[in-house]
Amino acid sequence: MLSLDTAYPLKEIKESKLQRLCTLLWDWEICEACRKGRQCQERDCPWQRSSKLDNFFAFYKEVTSSYVPELLAGSPAALRSHDDLLDLIEIIKNQPIRPRAELIAAYFAQREGTSKSSRPADQHRAVNLAVQAISVVSCPTSNRSSSEVLELGSLPVVWPDGVGFGDFMCSAFPQLEARRIQPEVRSSSPTTAILAQVSREVLHSIQVVLFPFNSDSEVLLRSLVRKASLDPDCAQYGFAVGGDDLAYSCFGSKLMDLYDEVDNPSPRGFVEKWFERKSGARYVMMATFIGVIIAVILGILSLAVGLFQSWVAYEAWKHPVSIAD
């Protein structure tokens, strides 16, 4: 009989694993005191900002705690603990050009050696969890994964077996081409540069485009932080980067969709939706034709009334009525 720890190997996570996650994702250099669970003594230790990542940590815990390995015919779990998942994250980030299938085969062959290997489907799920932790993007090998489609409510972005993680990220955000980021970012990988660009565009679009500082929109943003549990860091305008001339290589089309919605709002309410459904060219022609018929009928009636009035006036003139004193 399976125990709870075996069925859900990622259900619990220690703070030390979250610290390693931050180190892998953002190159945090966490001080020794924080790593040992003591009071932080260094002013520049990035772990002091960890409270601002509560929403991200909650997301990470949610997507990992539900992982259940496929333990069939004595096969081991693809992820036995958070250490395995963090190892996958490190390999994916450090080898963004290596194809997915090759990366999976090399990692699990090195880890499991000649013993029984975990099931391929389980290995792919493990890689998907690692990519979700890195980029908050789901990446099955095909759109035929019905369970993931049902969970997400839409078709996820596909990471094929023969494609590296860097190219996958470029396909997930097609406006950001790899040739634009590789030559200039020698100190970081293409994957890091892509994620940095996405972060800049998200923050810039919130603080400069949608909710500019010292405006009514800023008041709305702060109310959303209070009432709708929006990330409080969104209202920290000192973090905005890029100025007014930031190029939206990732979310430009999305912002244009928002602009089109503001310029031409979607119908709301029964009356507006009814008019929207009846606003096609065929309905416009029908309405025009009906209007012409009504105008002709009204013209005929007006002519009939005019003739009647003329006849009455003529009869009154032909047969005047004398009024006795």
Side-chain angles (χ1 to χ4, degrees):
M1 183 175 180
L2 293 177
S3 65
L4 183 61
D5 291 338
T6 304
Y8 296 93
L10 306 183
K11 186 172 182 59
E12 302 294 335
I13 182 171
K14 297 180 180 179
E15 185 176 276
S16 60
K17 307 306 177 186
L18 294 177
Q19 290 177 347
R20 186 188 173 196
L21 176 64
C22 294
T23 300
L24 292 174
L25 295 182
W26 305 298
D27 299 325
W28 279 13
E29 297 182 2
I30 301 174
C31 70
E32 183 177 359
C34 288
R35 292 199 303 268
K36 293 183 177 180
R38 299 198 301 263
Q39 181 68 31
C40 183
Q41 301 295 330
E42 298 185 16
R43 174 194 289 182
D44 298 331
C45 178
W47 189 245
Q48 296 181 15
R49 307 195 303 270
S50 61
S51 60
K52 298 181 180 296
L53 296 175
D54 287 344
N55 290 338
F56 173 72
F57 289 155
F59 164 79
Y60 177 81
K61 293 174 183 177
E62 180 181 356
V63 299
T64 58
S65 61
S66 59
Y67 166 75
V68 179
E70 296 185 15
L71 302 176
L72 299 178
S75 60
L79 295 176
R80 302 162 299 186
S81 66
H82 282 279
D83 286 323
D84 289 341
L85 181 58
L86 294 172
D87 289 342
L88 269 175
I89 292 173
E90 184 174 12
I91 291 175
I92 292 173
K93 281 205 62 182
N94 292 339
Q95 303 181 33
I97 302 177
R98 197 169 190 177
R100 173 181 176 129
E102 183 180 327
L103 185 148
I104 292 175
Y107 170 74
F108 286 100
Q110 176 271 331
R111 195 191 78 179
E112 297 170 348
T114 58
S115 62
K116 290 185 177 180
S117 61
S118 51
R119 297 175 62 82
D122 201 12
Q123 295 175 0
H124 283 289
R125 289 173 57 222
V127 170
N128 192 18
L129 282 178
V131 173
Q132 282 187 286
I134 295 173
S135 60
V136 201
V137 173
S138 182
C139 61
T141 53
S142 72
N143 278 332
R144 295 193 299 269
S145 181
S146 59
S147 60
E148 291 189 62
V149 172
L150 289 175
E151 181 179 352
L152 295 172
S154 60
L155 292 179
V157 183
V158 174
W159 181 10
D161 282 336
V163 175
F165 181 66
D167 290 334
F168 160 71
M169 289 299 295
C170 289
S171 67
F173 303 101
Q175 299 302 318
L176 188 61
E177 300 177 359
R179 70 172 187 271
R180 297 177 54 192
I181 61 175
Q182 285 181 328
E184 295 82 2
V185 287
R186 298 179 182 177
S187 60
S188 60
S189 67
T191 303
T192 302
I194 293 174
L195 298 177
Q197 176 68 13
V198 171
S199 301
R200 283 194 294 269
E201 291 189 22
V202 169
L203 191 58
H204 189 273
S205 63
I206 291 175
Q207 297 189 352
V208 177
V209 179
L210 300 178
F211 305 100
F213 179 70
N214 197 21
S215 65
D216 294 338
S217 298
E218 180 195 354
V219 177
L220 174 60
L221 174 61
R222 298 189 182 280
S223 68
L224 292 175
V225 170
R226 293 193 308 270
K227 300 177 182 179
S229 301
L230 207 64
D231 190 346
D233 281 346
C234 294
Q236 300 298 322
Y237 282 84
F239 293 157
V241 292
D244 294 333
D245 57 349
L246 178 67
Y248 281 88
S249 52
C250 297
F251 297 128
S253 60
K254 301 297 183 182
L255 288 175
M256 286 304 301
D257 291 340
L258 289 176
Y259 177 80
D260 291 340
E261 176 63 23
V262 173
D263 192 50
N264 185 23
S266 300
R268 294 177 175 83
F270 174 79
V271 176
E272 291 186 8
K273 291 180 179 179
W274 185 86
F275 275 112
E276 176 70 14
R277 289 196 301 270
K278 305 301 182 183
S279 62
R282 180 166 60 92
Y283 291 106
V284 171
M285 291 297 296
M286 289 177 57
T288 303
F289 180 71
I290 294 173
V292 171
I293 292 177
I294 293 176
V296 171
I297 294 175
L298 291 177
I300 294 174
L301 292 176
S302 299
L303 179 61
V305 171
L307 291 175
F308 177 74
Q309 290 177 338
S310 299
W311 179 79
V312 170
Y314 173 76
E315 290 295 327
W317 170 77
K318 186 176 181 180
H319 307 283
V321 179
S322 60
I323 301 176
D325 294 334

